[in-house]
């Protein structure tokens, strides 16, 4: 006689669906300034608690508090706010171009701007990011030419990648921005390998890897952590937990069972969990992890907790799988407003300057988009010769014949 019932398995369900009231009642937000700051040479086993809590600097009154609230360079804070505003203006203009049919695809990073920008401002010239498609702030905070970025999105005659990458899959080696791969997760392995190569050469440059919460379920993520654990290369491993991987909430990738930061503990890698909507926390923790890498203290994994306000892409309608009001209920707030309020409080900013900056960047993006459009839209203006060039060192005879026949 069989004493067992039928077997079953669990399919995680998000706490709310479209039409429900947003619910973050189970989301624990520690008070700003209460999480300790360990020494730079700390061992992974001594900071296990930092993988389950959340490092925060800015409190609700716009004050920087606690051990991570070090003396921040005022120019860095101003650069950070202006870069976030600039990135937001860029996103809005590119979304408009897509809706006008001038490009096929775009992905915004609304609500996540502090993470890429705060991290980039802690890196040095020559360090290499291995990003995903939602870290445009890495380039915009370095003043990468905006027209070139837009031309890549439009795949036109001035596209620096000659139409060989999908829109938003940028590549800019001189800006420490490794070519984005549309195959999610691969950049984690690439970053660890690049960091190992830097160490083998006796160089001083470190790598910074980026992945989303959904892609941590890919085997590449774990393969990268094994190699990082064993070989201890100079790499920072970033996980951007924005709660949603297209229509799958973070629980599908295991985020309900443990924090994503905790995954590194099984590999013996120091790990921290951070409020990703707090620019000052992002910058302070990035500096800490980057300093560890430079001192040959090995890899560090950081989970940046944030919320994807915008659709996953221009092909997505988030109202089909989450409440429309959920982003407004997000308990960590807007990274732009939080830094703005802090800078106003310490006398470095004002409402007038904020409005002026928003208008300035809106106009910059309007003018830049107009110039980029003059070189073609939706692939227009590109030449068939790009099919043949930069592929072979010496072009095979059959391709030479094809090119001659086409007259390009």
């Amino acid at each position: 006689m069989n004493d067992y019932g039928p077997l079953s398995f669990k399919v995680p369900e998000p706490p709310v669906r479209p039409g429900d009231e947003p619910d973050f009642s189970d989301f624990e937000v520690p008070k700003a300034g209460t999480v300790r700051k360990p020494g730079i040479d700390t061992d992974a086993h001594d900071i296990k608690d930092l993988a389950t809590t959340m490092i925060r600097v800015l409190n609700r009154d716009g004050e920087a508090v606690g051990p991570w609230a070090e003396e921040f360079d005022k120019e860095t804070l101003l650069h950070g706010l202006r870069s976030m505003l600039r990135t937001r203006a860029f996103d809005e203009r590119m979304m408009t171009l897509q809706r006008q049919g001038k490009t096929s695809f775009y992905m915004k990073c609304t609500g996540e701007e502090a993470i890429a920008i705060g991290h980039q401002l802690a890196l040095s010239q020559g360090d290499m990011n291995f990003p995903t498609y939602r870290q445009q702030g890495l380039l915009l905070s370095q003043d990468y030419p905006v027209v070139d970025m837009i031309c890549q999105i439009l795949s036109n005659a001035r596209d620096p990648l000659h139409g060989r990458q999908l829109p938003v899959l940028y590549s800019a080696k001189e800006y420490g921005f490794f070519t984005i791969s549309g195959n999610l997760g691969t950049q984690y392995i690439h970053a660890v390998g690049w960091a190992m190569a830097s160490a083998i050469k006796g160089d001083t440059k470190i790598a910074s890897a980026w992945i989303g919460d959904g892609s941590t379920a890919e085997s590449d993520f774990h393969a990268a952590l094994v190699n990082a654990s064993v070989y201890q290369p100079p790499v920072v491993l970033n996980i951007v937990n924005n709660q949603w991987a297209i229509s799958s909430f973070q629980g599908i990738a295991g985020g309900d069972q443990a924090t994503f930061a905790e995954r590194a503990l099984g590999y013996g890698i120091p790990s921290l969990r951070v409020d990703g909507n707090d620019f000052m926390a992002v910058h302070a923790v990035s500096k800490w992890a980057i300093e560890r890498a430079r001192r040959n203290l090995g890899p560090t994994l950081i989970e940046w907790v944030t919320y994807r306000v915008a659709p996953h892409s221009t092909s997505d309608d988030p109202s089909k799988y989450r409440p429309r009001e959920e982003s407004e209920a997000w308990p960590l707030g807007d990274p732009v407003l939080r830094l703005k309020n802090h800078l106003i409080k310490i006398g470095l900013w004002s409402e007038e300057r904020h409005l002026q900056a928003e208008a300035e960047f809106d106009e910059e993006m309007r003018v830049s988009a107009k110039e980029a459009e003059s070189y073609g839209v939706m692939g227009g203006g590109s030449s068939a010769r790009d099919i043949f060039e930069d592929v072979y060192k010496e072009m095979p005879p059959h391709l030479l014949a094809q090119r001659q026949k086409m007259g390009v």
Side-chain angles (χ1 to χ4, degrees), residues 6 119 208 319 354 377:
H119 189 80
S208 191
S319 68
H354 197 81
V377 300

Side-chain angles (χ1 to χ4, degrees), residues 35 56 65 87 90 127 130 146 159 164 172 176 181 184 198 212 266 306 311 337 346 350 368 388-389 391 398 407:
V35 178
R56 306 178 69 232
V65 296
T87 300
F90 179 81
D127 294 336
F130 290 75
V146 175
D159 175 4
R164 294 176 183 139
S181 170
L184 301 184
S198 182
T306 184
L337 293 180
I346 62 176
S350 66
S368 297
F388 301 95
E389 294 180 346
V391 180
H398 71 284

Side-chain angles (χ1 to χ4, degrees), residues 49-357:
D49 57 308
L50 299 189
T52 56
T53 183
M54 193 188 304
I55 298 168
R56 306 178 69 232
V57 170
L58 289 171
N59 65 19
R60 294 183 182 277
D61 296 321
E63 300 167 326
V65 296
W68 291 90
E70 57 192 44
E71 188 66 32
F72 282 84
D73 178 71
K74 294 178 181 178
E75 287 305 313
T76 298
L77 295 179
L78 289 169
H79 189 170
L81 180 59
R82 290 177 64 85
S83 294
M84 286 197 287
L85 288 172
R86 194 164 179 252
T87 300
R88 197 162 283 189
F90 179 81
D91 274 357
E92 291 302 324
R93 181 59 57 175
M94 295 308 100
M95 181 66 82
T96 298
L97 292 185
Q98 195 279 333
R99 296 309 190 214
Q100 292 173 341
K102 295 174 179 176
T103 185
S104 59
F105 187 73
Y106 191 70
M107 307 180 83
K108 298 172 71 177
C109 65
T110 310
E112 305 176 33
E113 297 92 346
I115 299 169
I117 293 167
H119 189 80
Q120 178 60 50
L121 296 184
L123 291 169
S124 298
Q125 180 70 30
D127 294 336
M128 184 62 72
N129 282 292
F130 290 75
T132 75
Y133 38 65
R134 223 179 295 277
Q135 276 85 54
Q136 49 265 56
L138 296 174
L139 290 174
L140 289 164
S141 63
Q142 296 185 77
D143 292 327
Y144 179 82
V146 175
V147 172
D148 287 354
M149 285 185 74
I150 301 175
C151 285
Q152 194 279 325
I153 293 166
L154 299 178
S155 302
N156 61 23
R158 276 276 303 272
D159 175 4
L161 304 182
H162 303 286
R164 294 176 183 139
Q165 283 276 76
L166 292 170
V168 310
L169 301 188
Y170 316 104
S171 177
K173 180 180 180 181
E174 65 278 17
Y175 287 82
F177 195 99
F178 198 84
T179 306
I180 298 176
S181 170
N183 300 312
L184 301 184
T186 59
Q187 66 274 12
Y188 241 53
I189 296 175
H190 297 159
V192 171
W194 191 96
M196 290 170 62
S198 182
I200 289 168
K201 292 189 296 183
D203 210 332
T204 59
K205 302 176 181 67
I206 73 159
S208 191
W210 297 85
I211 203 167
D213 52 285
S215 297
T216 62
E218 299 283 348
S219 58
D220 288 350
F221 171 79
H222 297 280
L225 262 62
V226 168
N227 282 278
S229 172
V230 171
Y231 297 108
Q232 296 287 295
V235 63
V236 179
L237 303 162
N238 301 283
I239 301 174
V240 180
N241 177 10
N242 65 13
Q243 313 305 310
W244 291 94
I246 311 184
S247 58
S248 299
F249 84 117
Q250 53 100 29
I252 295 293
D256 282 354
Q257 304 303 314
T259 69
F260 291 102
E262 287 180 277
R263 295 187 181 183
L265 299 180
Y267 296 94
I269 297 175
S271 182
L272 307 94
R273 191 165 179 259
V274 184
D275 179 349
N277 287 24
D278 181 341
F279 177 88
M280 298 181 78
V282 171
H283 188 65
V285 174
S286 294
K287 286 178 64 178
W288 188 89
I290 290 165
E291 180 72 10
R292 279 182 59 87
R294 289 206 203 286
R295 290 194 189 182
N296 276 322
L297 295 172
T300 304
L301 184 141
I302 309 170
E303 177 188 348
W304 305 109
V305 183
T306 184
Y307 187 88
R308 194 199 78 214
V309 174
H312 176 76
S313 72
T314 49
S315 303
D316 177 43
D317 180 4
S319 68
K320 301 295 185 183
Y321 54 82
R322 68 186 189 190
R324 292 180 182 273
E325 306 83 8
E326 191 174 75
S327 64
E328 297 176 8
W330 175 241
L332 298 182
D334 183 328
V336 172
L337 293 180
R338 290 177 66 185
L339 184 55
K340 166 194 166 185
N341 291 338
H342 173 69
L343 293 180
I344 290 176
K345 193 173 191 69
I346 62 176
L348 287 179
W349 201 246
S350 66
E351 292 287 355
E352 293 74 21
R353 287 186 69 182
H354 197 81
L355 290 172
Q356 183 181 7

